[in-house]
Amino acid sequence: MEVPAPSPGPGEILVRVAGCGLCRSDLSMRQLPQAIGARLGWRMPFTLGHETAGWVAGVGAGVTGVREGDAVALVSPTSCGTCAHCLRGQDNCCPAGATGRGYGRDGGLADYVLVDSVRALLPLGDLDPRTAGPLTDAGATAYHAVRRALPRIVPGGTVAVVGAGGLGAFAVQFLRALTAARVVAVDTNPDRLAYATDFGAHDTQSAVDGLRSLDAVLDFVGTDETIAAGVAAVRAGGAFGLVGSAGGRLEKSWFGALPRDGEVYTFQGSTIADARDVVSLAAAGQVRVEVEQYPFEEVADAYAAVAAGTLKSRAVVLLS
């Protein structure tokens, strides 16, 4: 569709998009019945894209701290900034997060995107905005999972990353940068295991079976099988983090099934602080952003690759 370029009103910022990452959740949103979207408060139709980076192209009245031409990425989840969750730094729990850029409002798969607050901008410095978008969602989500587990990970311990795709590869890098643990990547795809090794995994294997007494298991798949095996592999006092959204369940009594005095957690998204830390790690060269680039004219091919699961890294659609 051809639509008019938006204009920034008071407090708003207009961003010229350089690149926008694609996510598997986009596939679900493309098939979502409009009635469900309406219940979520979504404006239908809307432009997809929640892993966005580019350059400031205009600012509305009252905006300070940024200027035209600045390279920025956009915080992926939406938050109000004023509720109790936001004030505690838990903005990923904000009730306003049900609607945002790329999910209910126009997102980054367009030449321009409108941002409603400067708090949603992440200065990129020398990072390339054409490929930085995945840092804001895939990167920040993986970082949030690792950060939650850090108090349970001891020097010389072992952590398993289940699912060595785009998010899992980020998690491997964060674990190597932030811990002194042995990192084991688990995936049924040999190519992805090789990919995880390139990003720093100490060991790889095709299943969690055989792993025991782990400080933490970070599950980026989320099937019945990975959840059951992952929880069973965690030592007493360890952590199991469920990130994958395959819809799996743990169909066991909690007694004897969960790690004694351990932590089992799940979440959706990440915080603004997470995204800032990830950008800082990337700027310092401690995290690599690997993407497969597509011109905007080939966005259908990019989504087909996402749906088929043939991508090793994240797909990014280039708009500038």
Side-chain angles (χ1 to χ4, degrees):
M1 297 177 63
E2 291 287 338
V3 299
S7 298
E12 295 179 332
I13 304 97
L14 183 67
V15 173
R16 178 165 65 93
V17 179
C20 183
L22 306 188
C23 181
R24 290 196 67 86
S25 63
D26 294 345
L27 303 177
S28 301
M29 286 186 277
R30 291 173 69 180
Q31 301 170 354
L32 190 74
Q34 290 206 19
I36 296 178
R39 287 202 294 271
L40 292 170
W42 290 4
R43 293 197 298 258
M44 311 282 278
F46 58 87
T47 303
L48 289 169
H50 56 269
E51 291 189 345
T52 307
W55 301 275
V56 174
V59 296
V63 173
T64 60
V66 295
R67 57 186 179 183
E68 291 188 24
D70 286 352
V72 294
L74 309 188
V75 172
S76 184
T78 293
S79 58
C80 69
T82 59
C83 70
H85 295 295
C86 289
L87 295 177
R88 287 196 297 263
Q90 298 174 317
D91 38 276
N92 61 320
C93 298
C94 178
T99 301
R101 286 178 301 278
Y103 54 104
R105 302 289 183 270
D106 286 337
L109 278 176
D111 294 316
Y112 294 93
V113 64
L114 200 59
V115 180
D116 58 6
S117 171
V118 72
R119 71 190 290 270
L121 300 182
L122 302 166
L124 289 178
D126 294 331
L127 291 176
D128 188 349
R130 293 174 299 175
T131 56
L135 292 171
T136 68
D137 182 35
T141 298
Y143 180 85
H144 190 88
V146 170
R147 183 169 62 80
R148 287 282 304 271
L150 286 179
R152 307 280 179 166
I153 301 172
V154 301
T158 301
V159 179
V161 175
V162 182
L167 273 74
F170 273 121
V172 167
Q173 294 185 81
F174 296 139
L175 288 164
R176 290 301 309 270
L178 302 175
T179 77
R182 171 173 164 256
V183 181
V184 180
V186 179
D187 203 295
T188 57
N189 186 328
D191 290 338
R192 287 187 172 178
L193 292 180
Y195 182 65
T197 299
D198 183 49
F199 278 99
H202 295 94
D203 295 294
T204 63
Q205 56 187 68
S206 60
V208 182
D209 299 343
L211 292 174
R212 288 293 182 269
S213 299
L214 303 181
D215 288 1
V217 173
L218 303 178
D219 184 353
F220 292 92
V221 179
T223 63
D224 288 355
E225 293 76 17
T226 60
I227 294 171
V231 169
V234 175
R235 65 166 173 78
F240 175 84
L242 176 61
V243 188
S245 56
R249 297 174 294 177
L250 182 64
E251 295 184 343
K252 293 183 178 180
S253 167
W254 70 270
F255 184 75
L258 301 180
R260 180 163 51 89
D261 199 30
E263 182 177 10
V264 177
Y265 62 89
T266 185
F267 64 92
Q268 185 175 19
S270 56
T271 67
I272 294 174
D274 292 328
R276 288 174 177 160
D277 286 350
V278 170
V279 169
S280 295
L281 287 168
Q286 293 183 272
V287 174
R288 285 161 44 199
V289 186
E290 291 284 333
V291 302
E292 298 183 36
Q293 301 178 17
Y294 292 83
F296 182 72
E297 295 75 17
E298 296 178 11
V299 66
D301 295 335
Y303 272 126
V306 173
T310 56
L311 298 169
K312 287 192 298 184
S313 58
R314 302 291 285 185
V316 166
V317 175
L318 302 180
L319 288 111
S320 297

